[in-house]
Amino acid sequence: NAGVTQTPKFQVLKTGQSMTLQCAQDMNHEYMSWYRQDPGMGLRLIHYSVGAGITDQGEVPNGYNVSRSTTEDFPLRLLSAAPSQTSVYFCASSYSSGGGGGYTFGSGTRLTVV
Amino acid sequence: AQRVTQPEKLLSVFKGAPVELKCNYSYSGSPELFWYVQYSRQRLQLLLRHISRESIKGFTADLNKGETSFHLKKPFAQEEDSAMYYCALRGQTQGGSEKLVFGKGMKLTVNP
């Protein structure tokens, strides 16, 4: 039981490049979400999914796309990276969207856009 | 409105001192609150939730609806308590789904 696995752990991109951050969970959680963590800003919700085939926007969705083709995977795509997207990205999953049982977080992806 | 406010960004205490990490919330419904902890360069993990009324690693938190607060307390801090602490509220997205709303976090440093 690996929990929530995020890859890569670190990434440096040039402005304008695209990439996909991977997130996979093996707990059969219906709810998955992506947050970004910035100093002094806490965690902000980017996108979330309440089940396979269903996604929706969070607080800061611009510049990011997601899809949920399976229960296990929830990749986050940066379409055209910008320096403002330099951040630490966390994927989280839970049995329910409200996190009554607590969210399980991945170990994070530290992204730098130059 | 649904908002979580952690008024202090930093708290530094000596080992053995009491600590209180403040959290205030704004929510029109029945609140459900959590504390998450993030040790240095590690993933966030659930510390405790108010509905469980539990004590984890010596920490407790009581929901005070009158003061709309959910402060985290520990009578005797330990060096291993040094971490970022996030208070979170079970809120709702614009799409009607539930979500966790996080405060901006507070860094606790426990000095030897």
Coordinates of all heavy atoms in Angstrom, one line a residue, chain A residues 4 31 35 37 40-43 45 48 50 56 59 90 96-103 105-107 110, chain B residues 9 32 34 36 38 41-46 49 51 86 90 93 95-100 102-105:
Chain A
V4 N -0.3 7.8 -1.7 CA -0.4 8.7 -2.8 C 1.1 8.9 -3.3 O 1.9 9.3 -2.5 CB -1.0 10.1 -2.4 CG1 -0.9 11.0 -3.6 CG2 -2.4 9.9 -1.9
Y31 N -12.1 10.7 -4.3 CA -11.8 12.2 -4.4 C -10.3 12.4 -4.5 O -9.5 11.8 -3.7 CB -12.3 12.9 -3.1 CG -12.0 14.4 -3.1 CD1 -12.8 15.2 -3.9 CD2 -11.0 14.9 -2.4 CE1 -12.6 16.6 -3.9 CE2 -10.7 16.3 -2.4 CZ -11.6 17.1 -3.2 OH -11.3 18.4 -3.2
Y35 N -3.2 20.8 -5.0 CA -2.9 22.0 -4.3 C -1.5 22.5 -4.7 O -0.6 21.8 -5.0 CB -3.0 21.8 -2.8 CG -4.3 21.6 -2.2 CD1 -4.9 20.3 -2.1 CD2 -5.1 22.7 -1.7 CE1 -6.1 20.1 -1.6 CE2 -6.3 22.5 -1.1 CZ -6.8 21.2 -1.0 OH -8.1 21.0 -0.5
Q37 N 1.4 25.0 -3.0 CA 1.8 25.6 -1.7 C 2.9 26.7 -1.9 O 4.0 26.4 -2.4 CB 2.4 24.5 -0.8 CG 2.8 24.9 0.6 CD 3.5 23.8 1.4 OE1 4.3 23.1 0.9 NE2 3.1 23.7 2.7
G40 N 3.6 31.9 2.7 CA 2.7 32.9 3.1 C 1.3 32.8 2.5 O 0.4 33.6 2.8
M41 N 1.1 31.8 1.7 CA -0.2 31.7 1.0 C -0.9 30.4 1.4 O -2.1 30.2 1.1 CB 0.0 31.7 -0.5 CG 0.6 32.9 -1.1 SD -0.4 34.3 -0.9 CE -1.7 34.0 -2.1
G42 N -0.3 29.5 2.1 CA -0.9 28.3 2.5 C -1.1 27.4 1.3 O -0.3 27.4 0.4
L43 N -2.1 26.6 1.4 CA -2.4 25.6 0.3 C -3.6 26.1 -0.5 O -4.7 26.4 0.1 CB -2.7 24.2 0.8 CG -1.5 23.5 1.3 CD1 -1.3 23.6 2.7 CD2 -1.6 22.0 0.9
L45 N -6.3 25.4 -3.7 CA -6.8 24.3 -4.5 C -6.8 24.7 -6.0 O -7.3 25.7 -6.4 CB -8.2 24.0 -4.1 CG -9.0 22.9 -4.8 CD1 -8.3 21.5 -4.5 CD2 -10.4 22.8 -4.3
Y48 N -9.9 19.6 -8.8 CA -10.2 18.4 -8.0 C -11.1 17.5 -8.8 O -11.7 17.9 -9.9 CB -10.9 18.8 -6.7 CG -12.3 19.5 -6.9 CD1 -13.5 18.8 -6.8 CD2 -12.4 20.9 -7.1 CE1 -14.7 19.4 -6.9 CE2 -13.6 21.5 -7.2 CZ -14.7 20.7 -7.2 OH -16.0 21.3 -7.3
V50 N -14.1 14.3 -8.1 CA -14.9 13.5 -7.2 C -15.1 12.1 -7.7 O -15.8 11.3 -7.0 CB -16.3 14.2 -6.9 CG1 -16.1 15.5 -6.3 CG2 -17.1 14.3 -8.2
D56 N -13.3 19.3 -11.7 CA -13.8 20.7 -11.6 C -12.6 21.6 -11.1 O -11.6 21.1 -10.6 CB -14.9 20.7 -10.6 CG -15.9 21.9 -10.9 OD1 -15.5 22.8 -11.7 OD2 -17.0 21.9 -10.5
E59 N -9.6 27.0 -6.7 CA -9.4 28.5 -6.6 C -8.5 29.1 -7.6 O -8.7 30.2 -8.0 CB -8.8 28.8 -5.2 CG -9.5 28.2 -4.0 CD -8.6 28.3 -2.8 OE1 -8.2 29.5 -2.4 OE2 -8.3 27.3 -2.2
F90 N 1.1 19.6 -4.4 CA 0.7 18.5 -3.6 C -0.6 17.9 -4.2 O -1.5 18.6 -4.5 CB 0.5 18.8 -2.2 CG 1.7 19.0 -1.4 CD1 2.2 20.3 -1.1 CD2 2.5 18.0 -0.9 CE1 3.3 20.5 -0.4 CE2 3.7 18.2 -0.2 CZ 4.1 19.5 0.1
S96 N -13.9 10.8 0.7 CA -14.9 11.8 0.3 C -14.3 13.2 0.1 O -13.2 13.4 0.6 CB -16.0 11.9 1.4 OG -15.5 12.4 2.6
S97 N -15.0 14.0 -0.6 CA -14.4 15.3 -0.9 C -14.2 16.2 0.3 O -13.3 17.0 0.3 CB -15.3 16.1 -2.0 OG -16.6 16.3 -1.4
G98 N -15.0 16.0 1.3 CA -14.9 16.9 2.5 C -13.8 16.4 3.4 O -13.5 17.1 4.4
G99 N -13.2 15.3 3.1 CA -12.1 14.9 3.9 C -12.4 14.4 5.3 O -11.6 14.5 6.2
G100 N -13.6 13.9 5.5 CA -14.0 13.5 6.8 C -13.1 12.5 7.4 O -12.8 12.5 8.6
G101 N -12.5 11.7 6.6 CA -11.6 10.7 7.1 C -10.1 11.2 7.0 O -9.2 10.4 7.3
G102 N -10.0 12.4 6.6 CA -8.6 13.0 6.5 C -8.1 12.8 5.1 O -8.4 11.8 4.4
Y103 N -7.4 13.8 4.6 CA -6.8 13.7 3.3 C -5.5 13.0 3.4 O -4.8 13.2 4.4 CB -6.5 15.1 2.7 CG -7.7 15.8 2.1 CD1 -9.0 15.4 2.3 CD2 -7.5 16.9 1.2 CE1 -10.1 16.1 1.7 CE2 -8.6 17.6 0.6 CZ -9.8 17.2 0.9 OH -10.9 17.8 0.3
F105 N -1.9 13.0 1.6 CA -1.1 13.8 0.7 C 0.0 13.0 0.1 O 0.6 12.1 0.8 CB -0.6 15.0 1.4 CG -1.6 16.1 1.6 CD1 -2.5 16.1 2.7 CD2 -1.7 17.1 0.7 CE1 -3.4 17.1 2.9 CE2 -2.6 18.1 0.9 CZ -3.5 18.1 2.0
G106 N 0.4 13.4 -1.1 CA 1.6 12.9 -1.7 C 2.8 13.7 -1.1 O 2.6 14.6 -0.4
S107 N 4.0 13.3 -1.5 CA 5.2 13.9 -1.0 C 5.6 15.2 -1.7 O 6.5 15.9 -1.2 CB 6.4 12.9 -1.1 OG 6.6 12.6 -2.4
R110 N 8.4 19.7 -6.4 CA 9.0 21.1 -6.3 C 9.3 21.5 -7.7 O 10.2 21.0 -8.3 CB 10.2 21.1 -5.4 CG 10.7 22.5 -5.1 CD 11.8 22.4 -4.0 NE 11.3 22.0 -2.7 CZ 10.8 22.8 -1.8 NH1 10.8 24.1 -2.0 NH2 10.4 22.3 -0.6
Chain B
K9 N 2.2 33.8 11.9 CA 2.9 33.0 10.9 C 4.0 32.2 11.6 O 4.4 31.2 11.1 CB 3.5 34.0 9.9 CG 2.6 34.7 9.0 CD 3.3 35.5 7.9 CE 2.3 36.2 7.0 NZ 3.0 37.0 6.0
E32 N -16.6 21.7 10.4 CA -15.8 20.5 10.7 C -14.4 21.0 10.5 O -14.0 21.4 9.4 CB -16.2 19.4 9.8 CG -15.6 18.1 10.3 CD -16.1 16.9 9.5 OE1 -17.2 17.0 8.8 OE2 -15.5 15.8 9.6
F34 N -10.0 20.6 11.2 CA -8.9 19.7 11.2 C -7.6 20.5 11.5 O -7.5 21.7 11.1 CB -8.7 19.0 9.9 CG -9.9 18.3 9.3 CD1 -10.9 19.0 8.7 CD2 -10.1 17.0 9.5 CE1 -12.1 18.4 8.2 CE2 -11.2 16.3 9.0 CZ -12.2 17.1 8.4
Y36 N -3.6 19.9 10.3 CA -2.6 19.1 9.6 C -1.2 19.6 9.9 O -1.0 20.8 10.3 CB -2.8 19.3 8.0 CG -3.9 18.5 7.5 CD1 -5.2 18.9 7.6 CD2 -3.6 17.3 6.9 CE1 -6.3 18.1 7.1 CE2 -4.7 16.5 6.4 CZ -6.0 16.9 6.5 OH -7.0 16.1 6.0
Q38 N 3.1 19.5 8.8 CA 4.1 19.2 7.8 C 5.5 19.4 8.4 O 5.9 20.5 8.7 CB 3.9 20.1 6.6 CG 4.8 19.8 5.4 CD 4.6 20.8 4.3 OE1 4.2 21.9 4.5 NE2 4.9 20.3 3.1
R41 N 10.2 19.4 4.9 CA 10.4 18.7 3.6 C 9.6 17.4 3.5 O 10.0 16.5 2.7 CB 11.9 18.5 3.3 CG 12.7 19.8 3.2 CD 12.9 20.2 1.8 NE 13.5 21.5 1.7 CZ 14.0 22.0 0.6 NH1 14.0 21.3 -0.5 NH2 14.6 23.2 0.6
Q42 N 8.6 17.3 4.3 CA 7.8 16.1 4.2 C 6.3 16.4 3.8 O 6.0 17.6 3.6 CB 7.7 15.4 5.6 CG 9.1 14.8 6.0 CD 9.0 14.0 7.3 OE1 7.9 13.5 7.6 NE2 10.0 13.9 8.0
R43 N 5.6 15.4 3.5 CA 4.2 15.6 3.1 C 3.3 16.0 4.3 O 3.7 15.8 5.4 CB 3.6 14.3 2.5 CG 3.5 13.2 3.5 CD 3.1 11.9 2.7 NE 4.2 11.4 2.0 CZ 4.0 10.5 1.0 NH1 2.8 10.0 0.6 NH2 5.1 10.0 0.3
L44 N 2.2 16.7 4.0 CA 1.3 17.0 5.0 C 0.6 15.8 5.5 O 0.3 14.8 4.8 CB 0.2 18.0 4.5 CG 0.5 19.4 4.3 CD1 1.2 19.7 3.0 CD2 -0.7 20.3 4.5
Q45 N 0.3 15.8 6.8 CA -0.4 14.6 7.4 C -1.4 15.1 8.4 O -1.2 16.2 9.1 CB 0.6 13.6 8.0 CG 1.6 14.2 9.0 CD 2.6 13.2 9.4 OE1 2.3 12.3 10.2 NE2 3.8 13.4 8.9
L46 N -2.5 14.4 8.5 CA -3.5 14.8 9.4 C -3.0 14.6 10.9 O -2.5 13.6 11.2 CB -4.8 13.9 9.2 CG -6.0 14.1 10.1 CD1 -6.6 15.5 9.9 CD2 -7.0 13.1 9.9
R49 N -8.7 15.9 14.2 CA -9.9 16.5 13.8 C -10.9 16.7 14.9 O -10.9 15.9 15.9 CB -10.6 15.7 12.7 CG -10.5 14.2 13.1 CD -10.9 13.3 11.9 NE -10.5 11.9 12.1 CZ -10.9 10.9 11.4 NH1 -11.7 11.1 10.4 NH2 -10.5 9.7 11.7
I51 N -14.0 16.3 15.4 CA -15.1 15.4 15.7 C -14.6 14.2 16.4 O -15.4 13.5 17.1 CB -15.8 14.9 14.4 CG1 -14.8 14.3 13.4 CG2 -16.5 16.1 13.7 CD1 -15.4 13.6 12.2
Y86 N -1.1 23.6 9.8 CA -2.2 24.1 9.0 C -3.5 23.8 9.6 O -3.8 22.6 9.9 CB -2.2 23.6 7.6 CG -1.0 24.1 6.7 CD1 0.1 23.4 6.7 CD2 -1.1 25.3 6.0 CE1 1.2 23.8 5.9 CE2 0.0 25.7 5.3 CZ 1.1 25.0 5.2 OH 2.2 25.4 4.5
R90 N -13.8 22.1 6.6 CA -14.5 21.4 5.6 C -15.5 22.4 5.0 O -16.5 22.7 5.7 CB -15.2 20.2 6.2 CG -15.9 19.3 5.2 CD -16.4 18.1 5.9 NE -17.1 17.2 5.1 CZ -17.5 16.0 5.5 NH1 -17.3 15.6 6.7 NH2 -18.2 15.2 4.6
T93 N -17.1 23.8 -2.6 CA -16.7 24.5 -3.8 C -17.9 25.2 -4.4 O -19.0 24.9 -4.0 CB -16.1 23.5 -4.8 OG1 -17.1 22.6 -5.2 CG2 -15.0 22.7 -4.1
G95 N -18.9 24.5 -7.2 CA -19.7 23.4 -7.9 C -20.5 22.6 -6.9 O -21.2 21.7 -7.4
G96 N -20.5 22.9 -5.7 CA -21.3 22.2 -4.7 C -20.6 21.0 -4.0 O -21.2 20.4 -3.1
S97 N -19.4 20.6 -4.5 CA -18.7 19.6 -3.8 C -18.1 20.1 -2.5 O -17.9 21.3 -2.4 CB -17.6 19.0 -4.7 OG -18.2 18.4 -5.8
E98 N -17.7 19.2 -1.7 CA -17.0 19.7 -0.5 C -15.5 19.8 -0.8 O -15.0 19.2 -1.7 CB -17.3 18.7 0.7 CG -18.8 18.7 1.1 CD -19.0 17.7 2.2 OE1 -18.3 16.6 2.2 OE2 -19.9 17.9 3.0
K99 N -14.9 20.6 0.1 CA -13.4 20.7 -0.1 C -12.9 21.1 1.3 O -13.6 21.5 2.2 CB -13.1 21.8 -1.1 CG -13.4 23.2 -0.7 CD -12.9 24.2 -1.7 CE -13.2 25.6 -1.2 NZ -12.7 26.6 -2.1
L100 N -11.6 21.0 1.4 CA -10.9 21.5 2.6 C -10.3 22.9 2.3 O -9.7 23.1 1.3 CB -9.7 20.6 3.0 CG -10.1 19.3 3.8 CD1 -8.8 18.6 4.3 CD2 -11.0 19.6 5.0
F102 N -7.8 25.6 3.6 CA -6.7 25.7 4.5 C -6.4 27.1 4.9 O -6.6 28.1 4.2 CB -5.5 25.1 3.8 CG -5.5 23.6 3.7 CD1 -6.0 23.0 2.6 CD2 -4.9 22.8 4.7 CE1 -6.1 21.6 2.5 CE2 -4.9 21.4 4.6 CZ -5.5 20.8 3.5
G103 N -5.9 27.3 6.1 CA -5.3 28.5 6.5 C -3.9 28.6 5.9 O -3.4 27.7 5.2
K104 N -3.3 29.8 6.2 CA -2.0 30.0 5.5 C -0.8 29.3 6.2 O 0.3 29.4 5.8 CB -1.7 31.5 5.4 CG -2.7 32.2 4.5 CD -2.4 33.6 4.2 CE -3.4 34.2 3.2 NZ -3.1 35.6 2.9
G105 N -1.1 28.7 7.4 CA -0.1 28.0 8.0 C 0.7 28.8 9.1 O 0.8 30.0 9.0

